[in-house]
Amino acid sequence: MSEYKYMCGFGSHFSSEDPRCPNALPEGQNTPQKCPYGLYAEQLSGTAFTAPRKENARTWFYRINPSAKHLPFQSYEKEGGKYLTHNWDEQKPNPNQMRWKPFDMPAPNEKVNFVQGLHTVCGAGDARSRHGLAVHVYMCNVSMENMAFYNSDGDFLIVPQEGVLDITTEFGKMKVAPNEICVIPQGIRYAVNVSGTTRGYILEVYDNHFHLPDLGPIGANGLANPRDFQTPVAWFEDRQVKDFSVVSKFQGHLFVAKQQHSCFDVVAWHGNYVPYKYDLSKFNVINSVSFDHCDPSIFTVLTCPSSKYGTAIADFVIFPPRWSVQEHTFRPPYYHRNCMSEFMGLILGRYEAKEEGFMPGGATLHSMMTPHGPDAKCFEGASNAKLAPERVAEGTQAFMFESSLSMAVTKWGEETCQKLDAKYYECWQALKNNFKLE
């Protein structure tokens, strides 16, 4: 039997039990005096107990050992997290357009796991006050052995770019390949196994959890459909381990607690606070079929809303393969200055507005009110192209983390990584003055 099976639906209330232990879920209540199989009942709350029912998120675990059975937490920052930070004041602000060449993989003689390979590029806000976000990249080449990781600060939206992530969670197992994403909400424990060099991007949000965007006039269907989100089924191991490590990201720092058993010992669970994955190729693109280039919000997959209606702490937006048919229209993205911050990454292929210099595994950041748009080559080509129906972005998947917060770049992002492209500004210098007074 395959260990990778899923239940479908976004925001659904699921029930799952490992088939090796039938009837492990208690009947009719959450905390019986004695749970089936001698298990412990444990609740994981993703929202306040008193949150409105439509927003309330929690899961009940039925596990072999309670999570509290561990030794005290100690600092883990000598072993990992060297470049993980939420200190947004370590560099002076820089409003320039920024572009990074592909971030370096670990050297062949290095052994770096997922946690050790986390590097913060930019962000804003404060995990302690539960407001803000961070953008990280990960580069790793070995699996997490006899250890698990969880984030006390917020949710991780993980975007693999190279290499498959084989993720074991307290809920079960899932595989996440490039052109798929997964979300691991706050507090959920998991381990990442890899085969060879692996790289990707992470959007972390502190305020809230990710939601599907409202569709408004689009109607009931379109964009990312709820049925295409997948949550793993229950799977457990009853394994005694000497010094199993549980690593916690807490207030921006890493801590580790030792215990003598695997934390992946959940035999059954039920609830709506779950990890999930999504295949980006299933996104139902909505676009103009008459004229003009629509705003990129039509490509929003998931959103983390702020307290201000219609304004996000972060949106996850993609630019997938699609047909372009607009008449009398400059079809690529328009030139733009924005009250939002825009961090872009490239999973595969070439981005339509900048086919040179922006490479898979690299990134760009266009900060608040910093102008950006197509490079000179793209502008000339699109301004003179025959406007026949055409397939755009074929073989490409670019994405954007867009935020209403003004993000600061870390020292690692601006200096240490040595991947910032100092010549990025040159892509606009060849734009001509085409003004003609007639």
Side-chain angles (χ1 to χ4, degrees), residues 29 35 56-57 61 88 97 120 170 223 240 248 267 283 296 316:
Q29 64 178 121
C35 294
N56 208 293
F61 291 133
W88 313 126
Q97 302 99 339
T120 308
E170 294 177 278
L223 309 187
Q240 299 301 303
S248 170
V267 175
F283 187 82
F316 173 61

Side-chain angles (χ1 to χ4, degrees), residues 149-171:
F149 172 72
Y150 72 96
N151 186 359
S152 300
D153 296 334
D155 292 10
F156 266 9
L157 188 159
I158 303 173
V159 185
Q161 183 272 317
E162 184 170 332
V164 175
L165 302 182
D166 185 348
I167 304 176
T168 300
T169 78
E170 294 177 278
F171 294 74

Side-chain angles (χ1 to χ4, degrees), residues 197-414:
T197 52
T198 305
R199 179 173 58 200
Y201 311 84
I202 298 175
L203 171 60
E204 179 184 19
V205 292
Y206 306 143
D207 297 61
N208 204 330
H209 302 299
F210 288 101
H211 298 262
L212 291 174
D214 291 334
L215 294 178
I218 294 174
N221 306 289
L223 309 187
N225 292 312
R227 65 178 294 189
D228 293 325
F229 289 81
Q230 298 180 307
T231 291
V233 300
W235 177 91
F236 77 93
E237 60 180 10
D238 182 10
R239 187 164 64 92
Q240 299 301 303
V241 182
K242 183 180 179 180
D243 291 337
F244 186 96
S245 298
V246 178
V247 178
S248 170
K249 179 177 175 290
F250 179 75
Q251 296 185 8
H253 299 274
L254 294 185
F255 299 87
V256 61
K258 300 289 186 178
Q259 58 189 46
Q260 303 306 306
H261 62 275
S262 168
C263 72
F264 303 119
D265 61 355
V266 176
V267 175
W269 59 268
H270 74 87
N272 62 344
Y273 189 62
V274 298
Y276 53 89
K277 59 176 282 189
Y278 175 72
D279 184 343
L280 299 179
S281 69
K282 295 183 177 180
F283 187 82
N284 184 11
V285 178
I286 305 295
N287 209 343
S288 172
V289 293
S290 54
F291 62 89
D292 280 357
H293 183 98
C294 294
D295 297 328
S297 50
I298 62 170
F299 301 119
T300 302
V301 180
L302 292 168
T303 184
C304 176
S306 73
S307 57
K308 185 177 181 180
Y309 181 76
T311 303
I313 294 297
D315 286 330
F316 173 61
V317 178
I318 62 173
F319 302 98
R322 59 200 183 275
W323 282 96
S324 186
V325 299
Q326 300 98 313
E327 299 176 327
H328 313 297
T329 295
F330 181 79
R331 290 178 177 176
Y334 42 76
Y335 292 101
H336 188 43
R337 291 181 294 163
N338 195 352
C339 64
M340 307 281 275
S341 303
E342 301 179 5
F343 179 94
M344 285 193 64
L346 188 59
I347 300 171
L348 52 93
R350 293 185 174 186
Y351 180 54
E352 59 191 296
K354 296 183 184 69
E355 293 192 357
E356 306 296 333
F358 184 34
M359 302 172 64
T364 64
L365 175 64
H366 300 136
S367 296
M368 283 187 173
M369 294 303 176
T370 296
H372 54 280
D375 60 24
K377 182 179 178 181
C378 177
F379 178 82
E380 289 299 322
S383 297
N384 297 289
K386 181 180 179 181
L387 293 181
E390 63 175 328
R391 186 79 171 164
V392 299
E394 195 66 50
T396 291
Q397 189 65 270
F399 70 88
M400 179 167 65
F401 301 151
E402 185 176 59
S403 175
S404 61
L405 303 182
S406 185
M407 293 195 284
V409 178
T410 64
K411 184 176 181 180
W412 182 86
E414 192 165 359

